[in-house]
Amino acid sequence: MASSSAQSLHYAKAPRMDYAGVRLEQLSMDHAPDLIQLAANGQLDEAWFATTPSAESMRLDIQRRLALQETGEMAPFAIIDLSTGKAVGATTYLNIDAANHRVEIGSTFLAMPAQGTGINPAAKFMLLRRAFEELDCYSVAFCTHWHNAASRAAIARLGAKQDGVLRNHKYDPKSGTLRDTVMFSILPHEWPAVRTQLEARLARHGRI
């Protein structure tokens, strides 16, 4: 049986995955120019409750994600729009708990023009498929800010169930407020239905 650290490092791999005109690949500093340009042009969500990196902090954010990958805590991916070949965002498995076969999908940001195009559902499809069909996860979690109504609705549309709310969960230095975190999860027996509805959404976008 693999050691706990070896399991964590296995979960923290970020292999290339292609589906529905979208690619997920290992995040690297090579993606920084595309992501910095998006941020500099105001094409990333700057809502007060968002944790999207700025153009100035993008390289540091990528370095932070890669450092967490080295310790087995995160698997960071760049989101590539295959129609342009450019990075349009990033996403991760984070809070990896390999011993309990659990990951969280989050730390995601996506260019505003790419939103509503099917890119995000395609990325979620690939992450969930790997989690349940390759990593044998017992649970995949999603967490968001209580005030991020759009994110809460998007997670619910995936078919995730709300587990609860952690009140005063984190201090948010951006807003100077305490964050209530809404917790959701998808379990293995729910994945077939989630997979079917994601495929239907991608078909409506003309991606499959």
Side-chain angles (χ1 to χ4, degrees):
M1 183 176 177
S3 68
S4 178
S5 60
Q7 273 190 309
S8 295
L9 291 173
H10 175 61
Y11 273 53
K13 291 179 180 178
R16 194 179 92 174
M17 299 182 281
D18 290 19
Y19 185 69
V22 179
R23 172 173 295 155
L24 296 182
E25 65 186 29
Q26 170 68 53
L27 181 68
S28 75
M29 296 307 297
D30 291 341
H31 300 110
D34 286 347
L35 299 176
I36 288 170
Q37 183 176 14
L38 290 171
N41 292 342
Q43 293 186 338
L44 296 179
D45 189 356
E46 297 179 349
W48 69 268
F49 46 70
T51 55
T52 306
S54 65
E56 294 76 19
S57 66
M58 188 65 71
R59 292 184 186 278
L60 286 175
D61 187 74
I62 293 172
Q63 291 171 357
R64 177 186 66 84
R65 293 173 188 236
L66 296 178
L68 289 170
Q69 183 177 31
E70 287 292 321
T71 61
E73 298 172 74
M74 178 178 282
F77 295 85
I79 304 172
I80 310 298
D81 181 353
L82 289 179
S83 70
T84 64
K86 292 184 176 296
V88 293
T91 190
T92 76
Y93 293 138
L94 71 158
N95 294 326
I96 290 173
D97 182 0
N100 291 301
H101 292 238
R102 180 180 175 86
V103 297
E104 178 185 332
I105 293 175
S107 288
T108 302
F109 60 87
L110 186 66
M112 301 293 279
Q115 296 180 25
T117 66
I119 288 177
N120 186 51
K124 293 297 190 292
F125 180 96
M126 289 185 277
L127 291 171
L128 287 165
R129 180 178 61 187
R130 173 166 167 76
F132 288 120
E133 299 181 14
E134 297 179 29
L135 299 178
D136 192 29
C137 285
Y138 301 154
S139 175
V140 175
F142 298 83
C143 301
T144 192
H145 198 297
W146 172 264
H147 287 285
N148 194 342
S151 178
R152 289 167 60 187
I155 294 169
R157 279 198 302 275
L158 287 174
K161 304 295 192 299
Q162 183 172 320
D163 296 319
V165 181
L166 298 179
R167 304 190 67 192
N168 281 1
H169 180 221
K170 292 180 180 179
Y171 177 72
D172 177 10
K174 180 178 178 180
S175 64
T177 63
L178 287 165
R179 160 180 159 155
D180 290 351
T181 299
V182 189
M183 312 284 292
F184 294 82
S185 64
I186 297 174
L187 305 183
H189 71 275
E190 297 166 338
W191 165 232
V194 171
R195 177 177 183 141
T196 297
Q197 68 88 15
L198 278 172
E199 289 171 336
R201 285 174 63 184
L202 290 166
R204 289 197 296 273
H205 284 289
R207 289 191 166 269
I208 59 173

